[in-house]
Amino acid sequence: MVVKIRYTLALYGYESPIFIGTGRFGKCYSTKKNNRDYLFKIFEKNLVKRRKQKALNEGRLLKQLSHPGIPAFIETIERDGMLGLVMEKKRGLCLSDVEDRGISFTKDQVMDIIGDLIDLLVFLETKNIRHRDIQLSNIIWQPGQLSLIDFGSARRINRFTTEFEPDYWALGDTMLRLFNSCDAYYDAEKDDFYNLCLPEELAVFLKRLIYIDRPFNSFKEIRSQ
């Protein structure tokens, strides 16, 4: 399979594919073209056979989005039963890797990451798009730049009819994990609210995100808090 991927990518001018990992819909490889880094997501054959349009949805959405924190869509590669998408590869560390390594964030870094992520979600909201898979493994970070990746589950939704908004909850879960990796907020002796010692205003904000308290109505409202 790797040989076939290398051959197919070479036909499109890409080289040096390196396996990165496996997701719900397929496998990802890093690759290069004209000394620039790209990501190649190749879909599982069963998904392509059963739900090809679903597989292509990520590319269609990314074509409509122009934002420095969202990977640019480059092209679709379809040949000999293989279907995949080429996207810009964002630089930085995956936040799940940062968490696994036990690296501590400063309070300022945590708040900058959260602020940048909220700004990204406000942008998506203006396009009537929900990501629907916000988690540390889909957030790429380096000082001064945050990127949200993997739009395979994203959908355009013009009107919500459910009280539960998964992107709000996922933002809250992300905040909890970041706070737990920040010495300024984590308190091992505290036995409530996930061992966190938060200012009351921030604790209320977080509880609203994870539906312990009255939920928000929009990401614009969230950003205004």
Side-chain angles (χ1 to χ4, degrees):
M1 185 63 176
V2 176
V3 173
K4 183 177 180 180
I5 290 172
R6 184 180 295 113
Y7 172 76
T8 301
L9 285 174
L11 294 176
Y12 287 80
Y14 298 96
E15 59 184 2
S16 307
I18 299 174
F19 176 71
I20 295 177
T22 301
R24 284 184 296 169
F25 304 122
K27 297 180 179 180
C28 289
Y29 295 80
S30 65
T31 186
K32 290 181 176 291
K33 185 176 184 179
N34 298 326
N35 293 319
R36 298 188 63 178
D37 294 321
Y38 296 97
L39 186 75
F40 178 57
K41 175 186 280 190
I42 179 171
F43 297 106
E44 294 289 351
K45 288 185 176 181
N46 287 336
L47 176 64
V48 175
K49 289 179 180 178
R50 292 182 290 106
R51 305 183 68 181
K52 181 178 179 180
Q53 293 307 310
K54 176 181 175 64
L56 293 173
N57 183 64
E58 183 172 7
R60 285 194 293 266
L61 285 178
L62 290 178
K63 284 180 181 179
Q64 304 168 35
L65 302 175
S66 178
H67 189 285
I70 298 174
F73 174 76
I74 306 302
E75 62 179 319
T76 300
I77 291 180
E78 185 172 10
R79 184 181 178 88
D80 298 331
M82 180 186 297
L83 178 65
L85 306 177
V86 179
M87 295 165 280
E88 173 190 12
K89 184 181 180 182
K90 290 297 187 179
R91 296 183 179 276
L93 289 173
C94 176
L95 287 186
S96 59
D97 291 340
V98 176
E99 181 185 49
D100 290 343
R101 296 175 190 177
I103 299 173
S104 295
F105 287 108
T106 67
K107 184 188 296 186
D108 287 343
Q109 285 176 326
V110 168
M111 299 313 296
D112 285 345
I113 291 171
I114 293 170
D116 289 345
L117 181 55
I118 291 174
D119 285 344
L120 261 173
L121 295 175
V122 169
F123 169 76
L124 290 177
E125 189 172 66
T126 64
K127 305 293 185 180
N128 295 321
I129 291 174
R130 290 294 194 252
H131 186 274
R132 306 201 311 167
D133 195 19
I134 300 167
Q135 54 182 306
L136 295 185
S137 60
N138 287 334
I139 300 172
I140 306 295
W141 174 81
Q142 61 180 354
Q145 177 64 54
L146 179 137
S147 301
L148 184 61
I149 63 171
D150 195 350
F151 281 69
S153 296
R155 292 292 180 273
R156 180 179 295 281
I157 303 176
N158 292 318
R159 183 176 179 181
F160 291 92
T161 58
T162 175
E163 293 183 1
F164 179 72
E165 170 49 65
D167 279 5
Y168 296 170
W169 186 92
L171 173 61
D173 181 70
T174 299
M175 289 177 63
L176 280 171
R177 294 176 183 277
L178 290 173
F179 288 151
N180 268 282
S181 68
C182 177
D183 293 337
Y185 291 125
Y186 181 74
D187 185 351
E189 297 182 359
K190 194 172 177 64
D191 61 1
D192 63 340
F193 207 50
Y194 304 94
N195 300 107
L196 296 176
C197 185
L198 302 175
E200 182 178 356
E201 185 177 1
L202 187 55
V204 170
F205 178 81
L206 185 53
K207 287 177 180 179
R208 291 185 67 185
L209 283 176
I210 60 178
Y211 287 77
I212 294 177
D213 206 339
R214 176 176 57 88
F216 292 101
N217 294 313
S218 71
F219 281 108
K220 288 184 179 180
E221 182 188 3
I222 290 171
R223 185 169 62 179
S224 70
Q225 298 300 302

